[in-house]
Amino acid sequence: MKVRAKLGGRAFFVYDKTKVLKGVKEMKIGIDKIGFFTSHLFVDMKELAFARAEDPNKYLIGIGQSKMAVIPPSQDVVTMAANAAARILTTADKEQISYVIFATESGIDNSKATAVYLARLLGLKKEIRAIELKQACYGATAGIQLARGFVALNPDSKVLVIAADNARYGIKSPGEPTQGGGAVALLIGTNPQILALEDGSTAYTQDIMDFWRPLGKNEALVDGRYSEDVYLNFFSHVWQAYLDKTGYQLGDFAALLFHLPYTKMGLKALRIALKDARPDEAVNFVQEFEHARTFNREVGNLYTGSLYLSLLSLLFNSEKLRAGQRIGLFSYGSGAEAEFYSGIVQPNFKQGLMNVNYLQVLNERQEVSVSEYEKLYQQHLFSAQEGRVAYDTDPARYFFAGISDFKRQYQEK
Ligand code: COA
């Protein structure tokens, strides 16, 4: 990449920008591994519907959710991220990671980044950068794009991108059936096993109050119907802009993935993309969408991790997905910001899931009653509080033990 130049008789080296860019374009950069973690507890949406005097089909069909993860007080975004990352990281990966980018909208401190706690818990080396990113449910996509640029300039490095959230709207609030929580860990590097990212993504940002959480509030404020409209408008915008920019058509994609705050939301966006599709083409996209929402249906909202849980769900459950096929990803974060981008499925994509049987993981969770969920919901300790948290029944490797002297206590079993 460096070329020899001469100035005033002295020879020196400069970077040839065209060669650097050509090198970057030829290099495959993308998602090498994906790990996912959610709590061992869930509430059945039928039971929640009965408790709220709603028709269960409103939740099961109208909103598209079957179960909702219940996050116990012994888990927060840091521990969930550590539990997700521990599922994928080898000793060699830990040596190569030189950047941790932690995307969350359930932050635990106004100053210190969650990524710093995480790096220590995972035993990463100290010669790294560790930061936190925020833009509602869009944060992880921003993290992936930043990681891509960093890896292009540092091809021997890997970046750990985390998407972790505890989605809290409030007991008996309209947003309650769209709660959930968990973490997705994405390892970004060259020659990725899962998905090679393509150029040409399209983004859109507008200052909109559809969902926000003022400092000091532990639950989000949301204008649900308005948020749906903004989501769909932003999707139409970045999708069309992406097609115009790249020249691709619907038929150039094997599947379209969406941010899924609840799975019906993605279905509504898919219908926009399929409005001119041939019937056989539409059937194929709907089938892949069903595979892509299988896990989200079982877990609920992950906020910024929802799109990436959907990617994992597709990779795990699809029977048709093949190497060389293109996947489109729509990322949306209220407030509001959206991006559409694409990636090419790589030959070893199943290996990038590290042999974790997520179907079994989800099936082995314990059901809690609605009143147990309400109790656990209220027991969470937030930043300016002090106290211990009961963690004995939490089977997760990393857990949160409480707050002492305003310092959060994280432990490993
Ligand atoms: N059988 C089948 N479907 C039913 C039903 C039944 N018995 N009863 C209702 N439904 C459908 C409704 O027709 C509606 O479908 P539609 O969206 O296709 O029109 C859906 O279920 C929801 O019903 P609705 O009455 O609109 O529910 P709600 O007023 O309780 O609000 C949300 C639902 C999703 C708007 C609300 O839960 C919310 O605000 N969630 C948070 C949204 C969010 O997080 N936004 C930001 C991130 S993008």
Side-chain angles (χ1 to χ4, degrees), residues 55 57-58 62 169 174-175 178 222 224-225 227 261-262 264 268 334:
D55 180 342
N57 281 339
K58 174 175 170 180
Y169 289 85
T178 65
V222 61
R225 279 285 162 199
S227 156
Y262 41 97
K264 176 75 166 291
K268 289 183 183 185
S334 291

Side-chain angles (χ1 to χ4, degrees), residues 53-78:
E54 295 280 8
D55 180 342
N57 281 339
K58 174 175 170 180
Y59 293 172
L60 299 174
I61 301 166
I63 286 176
Q65 294 302 133
S66 307
K67 290 176 184 163
M68 181 173 93
V70 173
I71 308 301
S74 51
Q75 291 293 321
D76 72 2
V77 287
V78 172

Side-chain angles (χ1 to χ4, degrees), residues 17-330:
K17 208 169 146 195
T18 53
K19 283 192 181 162
V20 171
L21 287 175
K22 191 163 171 279
V24 167
K25 279 189 183 301
E26 282 165 3
M27 202 188 318
K28 276 189 191 173
I29 301 173
I31 302 172
D32 187 47
K33 294 182 181 180
I34 303 181
F36 164 62
F37 172 85
T38 189
S39 142
H40 64 296
L41 305 174
F42 73 90
V43 79
D44 191 298
M45 293 303 278
K46 287 193 288 299
E47 298 302 322
L48 187 63
F50 291 136
R52 301 295 177 248
E54 295 280 8
D55 180 342
N57 281 339
K58 174 175 170 180
Y59 293 172
L60 299 174
I61 301 166
I63 286 176
Q65 294 302 133
S66 307
K67 290 176 184 163
M68 181 173 93
V70 173
I71 308 301
S74 51
Q75 291 293 321
D76 72 2
V77 287
V78 172
T79 56
M80 291 195 290
N83 287 312
R87 286 199 159 126
I88 58 167
L89 297 185
T90 61
T91 310
D93 293 329
K94 289 183 184 179
E95 259 314 297
Q96 266 190 292
I97 290 172
S98 54
Y99 212 145
V100 182
I101 299 177
F102 198 126
T104 183
E105 53 186 300
S106 327
I108 48 151
D109 194 286
N110 285 324
S111 173
K112 182 169 172 173
T114 40
V116 176
Y117 294 96
L118 176 68
R120 197 260 303 161
L121 275 179
L122 293 174
L124 299 185
K125 59 187 189 199
K126 297 196 176 63
E127 293 76 20
I128 59 165
R129 299 142 195 91
I131 61 161
E132 185 170 317
L133 278 188
K134 175 176 65 187
Q135 185 6 66
C137 304
Y138 169 73
T141 300
I144 289 171
Q145 297 296 2
L146 287 175
R148 185 181 179 213
F150 182 83
V151 170
L153 293 174
N154 303 275
D156 295 333
S157 289
K158 286 189 175 165
V159 181
L160 178 62
V161 176
I162 297 290
D165 275 302
N166 182 358
R168 291 168 64 94
Y169 289 85
I171 291 169
K172 298 182 183 164
S173 70
E176 185 183 38
T178 65
Q179 295 180 146
V184 180
L186 302 134
L187 193 63
I188 310 296
T190 53
N191 298 320
Q193 294 181 100
I194 296 179
L195 198 69
L197 303 180
E198 292 193 290
D199 290 338
S201 75
T202 48
Y204 195 72
T205 299
Q206 199 181 339
D207 183 3
I208 278 169
M209 296 303 279
D210 61 331
F211 171 109
W212 66 105
R213 185 163 68 86
L215 290 177
K217 274 194 89 63
N218 299 321
E219 275 97 26
L221 302 174
V222 61
D223 187 341
R225 279 285 162 199
Y226 180 46
S227 156
E228 283 203 347
D229 291 345
V230 179
Y231 175 114
L232 296 176
N233 284 339
F234 275 42
F235 171 68
S236 300
H237 189 93
V238 292
W239 166 239
Q240 193 53 54
Y242 181 85
L243 296 182
D244 294 344
K245 191 171 175 180
T246 58
Y248 295 144
Q249 297 172 349
L250 182 67
D252 292 313
F253 294 87
L256 293 178
L257 300 179
F258 301 89
H259 166 50
L260 297 177
Y262 41 97
T263 73
K264 176 75 166 291
M265 189 69 254
L267 187 60
K268 289 183 183 185
L270 180 65
R271 285 175 185 154
I272 293 177
L274 298 184
K275 68 180 186 322
D276 299 321
R278 295 188 319 270
D280 60 315
E281 208 173 33
V283 166
N284 198 46
F285 278 100
V286 171
Q287 276 172 355
E288 291 299 60
F289 177 76
E290 289 303 328
H291 293 308
R293 72 163 160 173
T294 304
F295 290 167
N296 301 67
R297 258 190 169 283
E298 293 287 303
V299 178
N301 203 349
L302 250 69
Y303 284 162
T304 190
S306 294
L307 171 61
Y308 299 100
L309 176 60
S310 180
L311 170 62
L312 174 70
S313 186
L314 178 78
L315 296 169
F316 191 93
N317 295 307
S318 170
E319 288 138 18
K320 288 193 200 150
L321 201 64
R322 297 282 174 268
Q325 290 184 322
R326 174 174 295 108
I327 294 179
L329 298 96
F330 172 64

